[in-house]
Amino acid sequence: MPRLVLGSRNKKKLREMLDLLGDLGLDLTDLTPYPDAPEVDETATTFVGNATLKAVTLAPVLREWVIGEDSGLVVPALGGAPGVYSARYAGTHGDDAANNAKLLAELAPHSGPARGAYYVSTAVLADPTGTVVASVEGRCHGLIITERRGTGGFGYDPLFLVPEYGKTFGELPPEVKQSMSHRARACGQLREVLQKVVCDR
Ligand code: IMP
């Protein structure tokens, strides 16, 4: 089974990617089997820049096909914040509780459509030499509510209301998130490429 490495140590992201691409017959893993893989600093100022950094740095070191995925929440009323800094918005990388608290505080003066937001997922596929083979982006639009609801998903999901359902990604079952999320939309675009260049090897 051809191997495909997600260049991340975020278990919840891997779980979502497995749900989205698991049927392709790929041995999809995150960086867990590669404890010595380099830490890739997210020094770019765009999602595609950071996703590319992850993919092209890791692929030649691991000598495997790698997906670099960079994602985040964009709030136009906050000038695009937290954006590429979503994981470390409040200072500490991956502190979801603090990030959510900061988002609520920053948005406190805003109401109605000014609380509109969208998630972005950019995925870059690199071959084992580090050459970029595909670059895709998915988005998902919603509203940031004023208090957390639900315990599902991760990151900003308890605050991210999906208007069609009147529920947050924290409240909705995972299969609903997987049917419409930014990551689902990015993975949907990657499927055909993966089938051609990785699965049929
Ligand atoms: P990355 O690991 O640098 O791509 O950071 C992604 C960050 O964006 C996460 O730590 C979350 O704060 C946020 N994020 C990305 N995707 C999601 C999602 O599906 N739900 C909630 N938060 C997300």
Side-chain angles (χ1 to χ4, degrees):
M1 203 186 258
R3 174 159 276 200
L4 176 63
V5 180
L6 172 65
S8 167
R9 296 191 187 279
N10 181 334
K11 286 279 162 217
K12 294 193 174 164
K13 253 193 202 180
L14 175 66
R15 180 67 263 155
E16 290 194 2
M17 295 292 241
L18 283 168
D19 287 347
L20 293 162
L21 300 172
D23 61 312
L24 287 178
L26 290 165
D27 173 20
L28 179 60
T29 177
D30 65 357
L31 291 171
T32 307
Y34 305 100
D36 298 331
E39 271 312 315
V40 182
D41 288 333
E42 298 180 15
T43 51
T45 54
T46 58
F47 292 111
V48 68
N50 283 327
T52 305
L53 273 177
K54 292 178 204 178
V56 304
T57 307
L58 291 166
V61 176
L62 308 182
R63 296 194 189 134
E64 297 285 2
W65 288 84
V66 171
I67 293 182
E69 198 255 8
D70 199 50
S71 51
L73 180 77
V74 176
V75 184
L78 300 180
V84 290
Y85 307 105
S86 290
R88 52 193 146 125
Y89 189 37
T92 308
H93 192 100
D95 187 343
D96 290 344
N99 289 339
N100 281 334
K102 179 165 179 187
L103 182 64
L104 285 178
E106 297 287 328
L107 273 178
H110 298 277
S111 60
R115 297 184 72 97
Y118 59 92
Y119 279 129
V120 177
S121 165
T122 301
V124 170
L125 176 68
D127 75 9
T129 71
T131 302
V132 171
V133 170
S135 177
V136 298
E137 182 187 282
R139 293 185 179 195
C140 178
H141 289 262
L143 288 168
I144 302 303
I145 55 171
T146 53
E147 53 188 26
R148 297 168 182 77
R149 279 172 25 192
T151 53
F154 66 98
Y156 300 95
D157 283 346
L159 292 178
F160 188 86
L161 184 89
V162 184
E164 298 92 301
Y165 289 89
K167 289 190 173 168
T168 69
F169 271 156
E171 295 173 299
L172 287 164
E175 54 274 22
V176 175
K177 181 175 179 189
Q178 307 307 15
S179 73
M180 62 186 304
S181 78
H182 48 313
R183 202 160 288 108
R185 289 175 176 149
C187 285
Q189 296 173 58
L190 264 192
R191 288 183 77 85
E192 214 174 303
V193 183
L194 286 171
Q195 251 151 350
K196 264 196 212 129
V197 300
V198 189
C199 304
D200 295 347
R201 264 187 301 153

